Amino acid sequence: MEDTKELTEHTSRTERKRRDSFGMFDGYDSCSEDTSSSSSSDESEEEVAPLPSSLPIIKNNGQVYTYPDGKSGMATCEMCGMVGVRDAFYSKTKRFCSVSCSRSYSSNSKKASILARLQGKPPTKKAKVLQKQPLVAKLAAYAQYQATLQNQAKTKAAVPVEGFSWGNYINSNSFTAAPVTCFKHAPMGTCWGDISEGVRVEVPNTDCSLPTKVFWIAGIVKLAGYNALLRYEGFENDSSLDFWCNVCGSDIHPVGWCATSGKPLVPPRTIQHKYTNWKAFLVKRLTGAKTLPPDFSQKVSESMQYPFKTSMRVEVVDKTHLCRTRVAVVESVIGGRLRLVYEESEDKTDDFWCHMYSPLIHHIGWSRSIGHRFKRSDITKKQDAHFDAPAHLFMKVKEVDTAGEWFKEGMKLEAIDPLNLSAICVATIRKVLADGYLMIGIDGSEAADGSDWFCYHATSPSIFPVGFCEINMIELTPPRGYAKLPFKWFDYLRETDSIAAPVKLFNKEVPNHGFHVGMKLEAVDLMEPRLVCVATVTRIIHRLLRIHFDGWEDEYDQWVDCESPDLYPVGWCQLTGYQLQPPAPQSSRDNQSSSSKQKKKSKSQQYKGHKKMSSLQLKEELLDGEEYSFLQGASDQESNGSASYYIKQEP
């Protein structure tokens, strides 16, 4: 009886260990695995080959299955018995999984180790540790990264939005999302590569009754930002089990990951009996297909490391007096977005949200260096835990030559109103600062003390030469109280005895941004910058984007630069754990309560140009007691594009 029990246990253990090159259970494949390796005595070590920069091509070596590099199949370590990707093994003959195993082969433990492997016993504790080393070194630290992702998931768990799903929203309306490559500041924005429809990945198999977590191969059917609509291999044109998954998530892997990690590949139960030889099916389907780069997960992890840390001190715009800056301390960092608490706020409720690449934050001492107004803190000595953020962390603006013809006080121009980002207004240069910075005021709406002047750099994409709106058929907001309508620049310049700022001084570079009208994205509501909302690109004027917040009226639209760090791909909130604001429901739009209407009217009075008052007055007159928040509508990032737009000037 005991002999039978031992035989059963041995058979069960052997059955669990036997995997083919796909990591599939033998129960789904009649083919046995060839785990032999070369018997050559050459044990010289090889250097780790560089990982390919483009997407790997899955190839067939004429036998069973190969790792995505297309060079070799599986191998078994002659020292510890580990089975893994042959190309990841050491020595020219690929006999050992690590340098340690190679050097230990001739030791006293060699015979015992080989005997244990032949008897079907599991690797020793030492072998289990050693088997991780070549994978980490050769395959971009997969095991280490998975642990990192698990830790991130614990600390940065995505906040679900009840009732809203990007996948359902896009599928039901046939929407198109802006590609990740449009957002250079976002994770993977500069190294997304040619990930597209048809790329194969390994993902958990949810159509399975096995008690353990198993995987299967799926192909990308549709991309929407970071999100991909996936379909399991073998379903052909059947979309019944299609599902959405974040490509940068922890449950999506390159083809070959299961083989290197010892994870089983099991066909979905729905199509389990569709083929008798799943290995042959996969070899045929995957040969020549593309998968994710082996170091993809490592790149995701690296792109989500942010240089700004909590307790760093910065200078940021004073939201109650736009003309000056104040010292604030980084309270938290989420996806590169900073929650800044003004230094004098004892209860830490007086805060301001912006991206770390925002043109509204600067290093300590910036205001003094350019002559910008600055509110000194009542705190005579900074707290010991606080420290100044290094100057090199902040976004650099393009250098300008102010020696020749340059902006002068009193010159007229057109500018996005920071208190009403849906409007481009008649504006005046009120002060010229150092290093190319300008203080701008909106004509007809300025406070007597200049407290609502705001700072734009000369290269800012939020200021335009006279005539820009007319040329591009954009409604220009005239000065409040100006009676001579329709507004004509020529008449206004003559009446005010002013001159227009020269066209050649403005930034006319237009990058190849990749946005198109109708594309979906996630965008910051710059009038309430802690909110990231579902949004749509509704108009494109060169590098200027008109952003509409889904479910809200057009009056809340905002003009934003194509390189603004306040725009993100679909799925960014899920990836970083930031709260996404869904579209306003239809019932709310059709049947608004009286309180909702009053609040909207209040917002209109705050932000609309023709009703705008100074930010200090706004703070005092808000009936609901909410703090007023301001955020500039564009980024001062330098463009590397070559296209230009041209402006005509009236005589």
Side-chain angles (χ1 to χ4, degrees):
M1 188 68 179
E2 291 181 358
D3 292 342
T4 304
K5 183 178 181 180
E6 290 179 2
L7 179 61
T8 303
E9 291 178 353
H10 175 71
T11 304
S12 177
R13 184 165 57 249
T14 305
E15 188 73 15
R16 288 196 301 269
K17 291 187 63 178
R18 292 177 59 208
R19 302 275 202 281
D20 65 11
S21 299
F22 287 102
M24 294 170 58
F25 282 126
D26 283 341
Y28 290 105
D29 190 359
S30 58
C31 298
S32 61
E33 179 187 15
D34 181 9
T35 60
S36 61
S37 59
S38 174
S39 59
S40 173
S41 60
D42 189 350
E43 297 175 15
S44 61
E45 299 177 12
E46 286 186 330
E47 294 184 358
V48 177
L51 295 171
S53 56
S54 59
L55 292 187
I57 304 295
I58 304 169
K59 300 179 180 179
N60 177 17
N61 66 353
Q63 297 178 3
V64 280
Y65 168 74
T66 63
Y67 189 70
D69 61 13
K71 295 179 180 179
S72 55
M74 309 300 290
T76 303
C77 180
E78 296 184 12
M79 179 61 198
C80 68
M82 169 200 165
V83 178
V85 179
R86 180 181 176 84
D87 191 57
F89 275 42
Y90 283 76
S91 81
K92 290 183 178 180
T93 55
K94 308 301 181 185
R95 297 173 59 192
F96 307 103
C97 69
S98 67
V99 177
S100 300
C101 283
S102 176
R103 292 175 179 174
S104 301
Y105 184 73
S106 59
S107 67
N108 294 333
S109 61
K110 180 183 69 173
K111 294 182 179 180
S113 178
I114 296 176
L115 180 62
R117 177 166 59 85
L118 294 176
Q119 291 176 346
K121 295 181 180 179
T124 64
K125 183 177 181 181
K126 179 180 178 182
K128 290 182 179 179
V129 176
L130 292 177
Q131 73 182 25
K132 294 181 180 179
Q133 297 175 359
L135 295 179
V136 171
K138 190 80 173 181
L139 302 177
Y142 275 124
Q144 180 180 355
Y145 177 65
Q146 292 307 312
T148 302
L149 282 182
Q150 291 177 0
N151 292 334
Q152 288 180 348
K154 294 178 182 178
T155 58
K156 293 185 177 181
V159 182
V161 179
E162 183 178 358
F164 179 76
S165 163
W166 262 121
N168 295 337
Y169 191 57
I170 289 175
N171 279 346
S172 59
N173 298 279
S174 299
F175 289 141
T176 301
V180 174
T181 52
C182 291
F183 310 89
K184 305 303 182 186
H185 58 280
M188 300 299 293
T190 58
C191 52
W192 188 249
D194 54 348
I195 298 175
S196 58
E197 297 177 4
V199 169
R200 304 303 207 283
V201 292
E202 292 180 352
V203 292
N205 177 6
T206 58
D207 182 28
C208 181
S209 57
L210 295 174
T212 58
K213 187 175 183 179
V214 296
F215 295 79
W216 189 241
I217 296 172
I220 297 179
V221 177
K222 184 175 183 178
L223 268 178
Y226 292 118
N227 295 344
L229 181 63
L230 301 178
R231 181 174 300 169
Y232 289 122
E233 281 295 335
F235 274 80
E236 307 301 337
N237 296 323
D238 182 2
S239 61
S240 60
L241 287 185
D242 288 2
F243 61 99
W244 286 90
C245 182
N246 195 302
V247 176
C248 297
S250 59
D251 272 340
I252 190 165
H253 310 280
V255 171
W257 176 85
C258 284
T260 64
S261 304
K263 303 294 183 182
L265 281 174
V266 178
R269 180 173 50 187
T270 304
I271 58 171
Q272 175 179 331
H273 303 291
K274 189 174 182 180
Y275 298 96
T276 57
N277 190 336
W278 280 103
K279 181 190 294 183
F281 167 78
L282 288 181
V283 169
K284 181 178 180 180
R285 291 300 300 267
L286 297 181
T287 299
K290 290 184 177 182
T291 187
L292 299 177
D295 62 343
F296 182 77
S297 57
Q298 183 183 12
K299 286 184 176 180
V300 172
S301 179
E302 292 173 352
S303 67
M304 294 181 67
Q305 302 301 314
Y306 307 105
F308 280 87
K309 308 300 180 184
T310 56
S311 299
M312 282 186 172
R313 299 170 75 242
V314 301
E315 289 185 8
V316 64
V317 66
D318 185 345
K319 64 183 181 182
T320 61
H321 290 75
L322 310 185
C323 64
R324 69 186 184 190
T325 58
R326 295 171 61 183
V327 174
V329 179
V330 178
E331 181 68 19
S332 61
V333 182
I334 304 178
R337 292 190 59 76
L338 312 178
R339 179 178 179 258
L340 303 173
V341 175
Y342 289 114
E343 197 170 48
E344 295 173 304
S345 177
E346 296 181 358
D347 58 359
K348 296 185 178 182
T349 58
D350 191 9
D351 62 356
F352 184 82
W353 281 90
C354 67
H355 193 272
M356 63 182 183
Y357 292 150
S358 170
L360 298 177
I361 60 171
H362 311 276
H363 62 85
I364 298 296
W366 173 83
S367 297
R368 176 183 294 182
S369 68
I370 71 162
H372 194 284
R373 290 176 63 179
F374 175 77
K375 181 185 178 182
R376 294 187 179 278
S377 174
D378 293 337
I379 301 177
T380 56
K381 184 180 180 180
K382 66 181 180 182
Q383 298 183 20
D384 294 337
H386 298 167
F387 59 102
D388 297 349
H392 70 271
L393 298 185
F394 298 86
M395 198 65 192
K396 301 297 186 296
V397 294
K398 183 179 179 180
E399 293 186 2
V400 293
D401 181 14
T402 61
E405 187 177 10
W406 192 241
F407 292 101
K408 297 179 180 179
E409 291 184 16
M411 283 183 173
K412 300 293 183 181
L413 69 164
E414 299 175 3
I416 295 176
D417 184 353
L419 295 180
N420 176 22
L421 294 166
S422 67
I424 300 179
C425 306
V426 174
T428 303
I429 297 175
R430 293 304 180 188
K431 189 176 182 180
V432 179
L433 308 179
D435 296 340
Y437 287 96
L438 310 169
M439 296 303 295
I440 307 293
I442 299 297
D443 286 21
S445 303
E446 298 177 61
D449 60 355
S451 61
D452 58 354
W453 294 354
F454 47 95
C455 184
Y456 279 141
H457 193 263
T459 60
S460 170
S462 297
I463 59 174
F464 317 96
V466 164
F468 174 84
C469 286
E470 181 181 356
I471 292 295
N472 294 287
M473 293 182 290
I474 301 174
E475 182 181 357
L476 176 66
T477 302
R480 186 173 60 179
Y482 187 73
K484 193 175 180 180
L485 300 176
F487 178 85
K488 295 292 184 181
W489 263 116
F490 180 74
D491 295 336
Y492 185 70
L493 291 174
R494 182 175 55 191
E495 292 169 3
T496 57
D497 193 22
S498 306
I499 61 172
V503 175
K504 65 180 182 180
L505 300 182
F506 292 85
N507 178 13
K508 295 181 287 293
E509 295 179 349
V510 181
N512 184 19
H513 47 69
F515 287 102
H516 298 286
V517 172
M519 282 184 169
K520 296 293 179 181
L521 69 164
E522 298 176 4
V524 175
D525 180 354
L526 298 174
M527 305 312 297
E528 188 62 47
R530 64 184 176 84
L531 303 179
V532 178
C533 311
V534 173
T536 307
V537 177
T538 58
R539 193 175 179 190
I540 301 176
I541 306 295
H542 308 295
R543 63 180 301 147
L544 198 61
L545 309 180
R546 182 79 170 181
I547 301 299
H548 173 76
F549 298 102
D550 290 20
W552 294 93
E553 291 82 359
D554 293 345
E555 65 183 87
Y556 298 114
D557 290 1
Q558 297 174 2
W559 288 109
V560 182
D561 182 62
C562 65
E563 294 183 342
S564 169
D566 296 303
L567 303 178
Y568 307 103
V570 166
W572 178 87
C573 282
Q574 179 189 10
L575 177 63
T576 61
Y578 205 96
Q579 175 71 58
L580 177 66
Q581 302 298 316
Q586 186 68 36
S587 57
S588 298
R589 300 199 299 267
D590 295 340
N591 303 305
Q592 298 173 1
S593 65
S594 59
S595 60
S596 174
K597 290 182 179 179
Q598 289 175 1
K599 186 173 182 179
K600 286 190 175 183
K601 288 180 180 178
S602 176
K603 285 189 70 174
S604 298
Q605 290 171 358
Q606 293 173 43
Y607 305 134
K608 288 301 172 182
H610 65 283
K611 297 181 180 179
K612 179 168 64 68
M613 54 191 72
S614 74
S615 56
L616 181 59
Q617 290 173 318
L618 286 172
K619 183 178 179 182
E620 295 172 347
E621 296 186 13
L622 284 178
L623 297 179
D624 57 5
E626 293 182 353
E627 283 281 338
Y628 170 76
S629 298
F630 152 79
L631 191 62
Q632 183 173 319
S635 167
D636 282 338
Q637 298 181 32
E638 179 181 352
S639 165
N640 56 5
S642 57
S644 301
Y645 56 76
Y646 299 91
I647 310 298
K648 69 177 182 179
Q649 286 185 305
E650 297 188 55

